Amino acid sequence: MPPTTTQDIIFLALAFVTLASGIAVVLLRNLVHAGLMLGLSFFGVAGLYLLLHAEFLAVAQVLIYVGAITVLILFAIMLTRQVVGADTAPVSTQRLVGFATALAVFLVLVRFMYRREWPGIFDNTEVLNAPTVLGRQLLTTYLIPFEVASILLLVALVVAIVLAKEETVVSLTPKLNTIYEETDSPAKEEEK
Amino acid sequence: MSHQMTPYLLVGAALFCVGIFGVLTRRNAIGVLMCIELMLNAANLNLIAFNRFLGPAGNTLTDGAVPTNYYGPLLGGHAFGIIVITVAAAEAAIGLAIIITVYKNAKTINVDEINWMKW
């Protein structure tokens, strides 16, 4: 067993923060608090990325997850106004089933983790200047996934605007009714 | 410990299962969405850990000789992680738009009360 280093202590602290705030996200009754805990959990994962020498992803994680997604979720919580109360609490009858399922999945994952013999484990710490390397590879080796991701973002942008626009879905049925009434009324008049 | 792969995989697996528990027990649709984000993060953590410890051509630098056209070891895990972050962002935007539209129509976002598509 190698001696405990500073990195190990940092890893343990980050893992604890990530998991504890993740559990808080699941269990807290107040949704706003859960959303803030979600941001803390994302921060913990960003720290773990740094430990794994994924500097660009760590920064992207902070920018996108902590900066954008958490704020988006908090805005949605405030727009729907179901912050506190019995409505936001987890269902007590499903708690046992949920816990059993989660535990079963965890056990299966751990079993695979320790039974599988990984091919050629090494500590790949020699990746110097990883953002440069990643940038080069995103435009050469991984060009198609990169472009697909950008198209996906564009489509998501358009769809989100169309969905959240005022009076698209809300008034769909009344509009259809008025159209039918308008087309029906001349025919009825002719019958008379 | 931070130079082994299994601790990272353990954290990822635990975070994923916390997310599963949340998805199954949360009644609020936004809560469910938050737990899905947790699960996506856990998967991403696994991808990055695999890339660092099992990545292809990762140990070509150990002998010190660097070819002229050497772009470094393949960072497929990082590229995959970027894709996952993109998908998560798109999913959050569209999911929250759907939730807000449902709230406008039904005045509730409890997932066990929204059962219009159930016959």
Side-chain angles (χ1 to χ4, degrees), chain A residues 17-81:
Chain A
V17 167
T18 307
L19 287 180
S21 49
I23 292 171
V25 169
V26 172
L27 293 182
L28 276 181
R29 294 176 77 92
N30 191 322
L31 263 186
V32 174
H33 294 175
L36 294 175
M37 280 294 153
L38 188 70
L40 188 60
S41 185
F42 289 158
F43 253 120
V45 175
L48 288 176
Y49 287 168
L50 275 185
L51 273 186
L52 285 168
H53 292 272
E55 293 91 357
F56 177 76
L57 270 163
V59 175
Q61 168 95 1
V62 172
L63 279 179
I64 296 173
Y65 272 108
V66 184
I69 292 185
T70 310
V71 174
L72 199 65
I73 285 176
L74 286 177
F75 264 111
I77 292 170
M78 286 163 191
L79 281 176
T80 51
R81 287 184 195 165

Side-chain angles (χ1 to χ4, degrees), chain A residues 102-169:
Chain A
L103 194 67
V105 173
F106 184 70
L107 289 180
V108 168
L109 287 177
V110 170
R111 199 177 159 85
F112 263 97
M113 222 176 283
Y114 282 107
R115 279 189 65 190
R116 177 102 168 73
E117 287 187 4
W118 302 106
I121 284 196
F122 51 86
D123 194 2
N124 190 3
T125 51
E126 299 292 319
V127 189
L128 296 172
N129 212 348
T132 314
V133 178
L134 181 63
R136 267 186 206 282
Q137 290 181 4
L138 272 183
L139 291 181
T140 51
T141 319
Y142 302 112
L143 181 64
I144 291 177
F146 184 68
E147 294 297 334
V148 168
S150 59
I151 291 174
L152 176 76
L153 269 185
L154 179 68
V155 172
L157 183 74
V158 174
V159 170
I161 291 174
V162 168
L163 271 180
K165 216 171 68 180
E166 289 281 336
E167 298 181 5
T168 33
V169 184

